[in-house]
Amino acid sequence: MALKIGRNDPCPCGSGKKYKRCCLDSKKNIIKEEAPKYEDPHIGRLALVRFGQDLIDEPEELIKISKELEESYNMKSLKDSLLEAWNINKVREMSTSDIIEKLKSMNLNFDIEEFKKQAQNHISSIQLAEYHYYTQDFHAEEKDEDFIWLAIIELWNRIIPERCNIEMIDDLMHVGYKYIEKKDYGNGLENWEKAWKMIITIVPPQIKSVTEADDFMPEPLTQSIYNWCQNFEMELGNRGQEGESFHIKRIEYCNEFCRVFPETDKLIIHNMLRAEAESYAALGDIETAEKLFKLLIKRFPDNVWGYIGWGDMYAGIGGFRSNPNIPKNCEKAKEIYQSGIIQCNTETEAIYERLDDIEKLTSKNHPNADGSNRAAK
């Protein structure tokens, strides 16, 4: 069964707030503005180009935004500007020989073997373009200048696809979001799994947090690793209803994440460890889930959501509602919730709500609840 997010569960975005007070009303499973997130004041070129490409792919939205900008700011038609500019798809539609010929027509020296050698010292196509091509005495109109770095991205994909770079990661993330928006979760998560494997390949082992990993990138990704890593965990959990494989992948991902980036923000680490325990419970491995919840509480004794997740497992509420793999034990759930009240100073109202839920459930199902079958004393 799926580990669906309960209204009173911690929001998967990592804000520490309840889901009902954070991302519940969001139409998409994305990180909301009020959630803590990695912030980079510099918007990368990839993000800008992808934004333009997405608008081109949605003509009605492009026309709408273009009109608004023209009327409000007296700007040149955004539609015309985007259609005139180079974009990812335009370059992808060109043959390799045509891309190279255009580079040469701009007075750029491009040699495939030399390009392979250059790439050995870079993890970014854009960075490679800056170091080896924009430094040449190229001749190009302003509208053609972006062609250079877009061409290098595409040539890298074609000539040395086995050598991953950050633009490949960005593309997998972006395509994954697109699939998930269309509710094609299988393909979306498959792309994200590949992105994750590339991230841990590129990021050196001395980097121990996702914030440092984002800082390490020579070009900012369209979506920061800090935000995306939480989306990945959440979607794996949401898809559990479609098969046990998603719970297994969630366990593997969360375990690997905490091992690779152990110094990440403690809220994210807590969410990952809790997700791992929840997934074992969903698979029916209560013994392992129990062990992991105990370790979670020991490590984060003042985080109320560890107690809530553990108690929910036995109460059969929250993310564990109607899960046949978990035998209910409301008395044990109460004990866990009450220990959370004792240990935690914040968000304890969420535990009281859980205790109220248990009382309602037990009284509703009690044979004397409606006054019938009452034994005479």
Side-chain angles (χ1 to χ4, degrees):
M1 300 294 290
L3 295 179
K4 295 182 180 179
I5 305 167
R7 288 174 56 82
N8 292 313
D9 287 346
C11 190
C13 74
S15 66
K17 299 179 181 180
K18 294 181 184 179
Y19 183 49
K20 67 183 181 183
R21 294 175 182 168
C22 193
C23 295
L24 178 62
D25 293 329
S26 177
K27 292 182 179 179
K28 299 178 182 179
N29 291 326
I30 58 174
I31 303 302
K32 291 189 75 177
E33 288 301 316
E34 63 265 35
K37 57 184 180 298
Y38 171 73
E39 295 182 359
D40 189 330
H42 173 53
I43 300 176
R45 282 171 282 191
L46 272 173
L48 291 172
V49 168
R50 289 198 190 285
F51 174 74
Q53 185 69 64
D54 288 346
L55 285 178
I56 291 173
D57 294 341
E58 299 179 14
E60 291 182 5
E61 186 68 15
L62 174 56
I63 292 171
K64 177 184 175 183
I65 293 177
S66 188
K67 285 182 177 179
E68 289 175 355
L69 290 174
E70 287 180 63
E71 294 172 359
S72 302
Y73 301 99
N74 196 28
M75 290 178 61
K76 177 183 176 181
S77 170
L78 177 64
K79 177 183 175 183
D80 292 341
S81 297
L82 289 176
L83 292 176
E84 290 173 7
W86 283 100
N87 59 50
I88 295 168
N89 285 351
K90 279 185 181 180
V91 178
R92 283 179 179 169
E93 290 168 0
M94 298 172 67
S95 67
T96 300
S97 59
D98 284 344
I99 294 173
I100 294 173
E101 283 304 311
K102 181 162 182 63
L103 289 173
K104 290 181 177 179
S105 73
M106 299 165 71
N107 198 41
L108 285 165
N109 180 29
F110 183 90
D111 177 79
I112 290 178
E113 293 307 314
E114 183 63 22
F115 175 76
K116 291 179 182 179
K117 293 177 184 178
Q118 293 165 349
Q120 297 303 310
N121 298 317
H122 297 278
I123 61 168
S124 164
S125 303
I126 297 176
Q127 184 187 57
L128 187 152
E130 291 287 352
Y131 274 76
H132 297 283
Y133 296 94
Y134 282 101
T135 53
Q136 295 184 34
D137 183 24
F138 65 91
H139 303 157
E141 296 181 15
E142 184 176 351
K143 67 177 183 178
D144 283 338
E145 289 188 11
D146 282 342
F147 174 82
I148 300 173
W149 64 270
L150 288 167
I152 298 303
I153 288 176
E154 186 60 24
L155 289 171
W156 187 313
N157 289 338
R158 297 183 190 186
I159 296 171
I160 44 174
E162 71 284 355
R163 182 175 174 80
C164 59
N165 61 34
I166 67 170
E167 288 79 21
M168 292 178 182
I169 294 170
D170 193 89
D171 195 50
L172 289 166
M173 286 183 177
H174 186 73
V175 171
Y177 277 112
K178 287 294 183 183
Y179 274 123
I180 287 170
E181 286 175 9
K182 297 175 183 177
K183 302 189 184 303
D184 186 347
Y185 302 107
N187 278 318
L189 290 171
E190 183 179 345
N191 275 273
W192 281 4
E193 188 174 4
K194 290 176 182 177
W196 170 245
K197 295 303 180 185
M198 285 190 181
I199 288 169
I200 60 177
T201 297
I202 281 180
V203 175
Q206 64 268 27
I207 288 178
K208 298 299 183 182
S209 77
V210 288
T211 304
E212 291 175 349
D214 277 318
D215 288 339
F216 172 75
M217 299 298 172
E219 280 285 323
L221 298 171
T222 303
Q223 177 67 268
S224 69
I225 302 173
Y226 187 106
N227 285 346
W228 170 83
C229 71
Q230 299 172 78
N231 294 160
F232 189 19
E233 177 274 308
M234 179 173 63
E235 287 297 342
L236 285 170
N238 288 341
R239 303 279 69 77
Q241 62 185 345
E242 298 173 19
E244 292 186 351
S245 63
F246 290 103
H247 290 309
I248 294 169
K249 287 180 180 179
R250 190 185 189 205
I251 289 169
E252 292 172 350
Y253 167 64
C254 292
N255 186 277
E256 190 169 44
F257 180 93
C258 293
R259 179 170 52 80
V260 174
F261 296 125
E263 296 175 14
T264 295
D265 183 286
K266 66 179 182 178
L267 280 175
I268 296 180
I269 293 294
H270 185 278
N271 285 346
M272 292 290 180
L273 293 174
R274 182 185 178 206
E276 184 182 5
E278 287 176 342
S279 291
Y280 273 109
L283 292 170
D285 188 348
I286 307 304
E287 183 179 351
T288 301
E290 174 87 1
K291 176 183 175 182
L292 292 176
F293 273 120
K294 286 180 179 179
L295 290 172
L296 180 64
I297 297 303
K298 183 177 180 180
R299 182 171 175 181
F300 300 98
D302 58 346
N303 189 315
V304 71
W305 295 105
Y307 301 92
I308 289 175
W310 189 11
D312 286 355
M313 181 177 76
Y314 288 108
I317 60 179
F320 297 99
R321 198 178 303 276
S322 303
N323 191 319
N325 291 327
I326 307 170
K328 285 187 180 180
N329 187 336
C330 289
E331 289 305 313
K332 181 158 185 171
K334 287 180 182 179
E335 289 178 11
I336 295 169
Y337 290 145
Q338 287 164 355
S339 65
I341 292 172
I342 294 170
Q343 294 293 330
C344 303
N345 296 319
T346 60
E347 296 278 3
T348 53
E349 69 273 12
I351 295 184
Y352 285 111
E353 289 177 6
R354 289 305 205 273
L355 290 169
D356 287 342
D357 287 343
I358 289 180
E359 289 301 321
K360 291 174 183 176
L361 287 171
T362 54
S363 63
K364 180 180 178 181
N365 295 321
H366 196 279
N368 294 333
D370 59 0
S372 61
N373 301 322
R374 192 182 301 277
K377 291 186 179 180

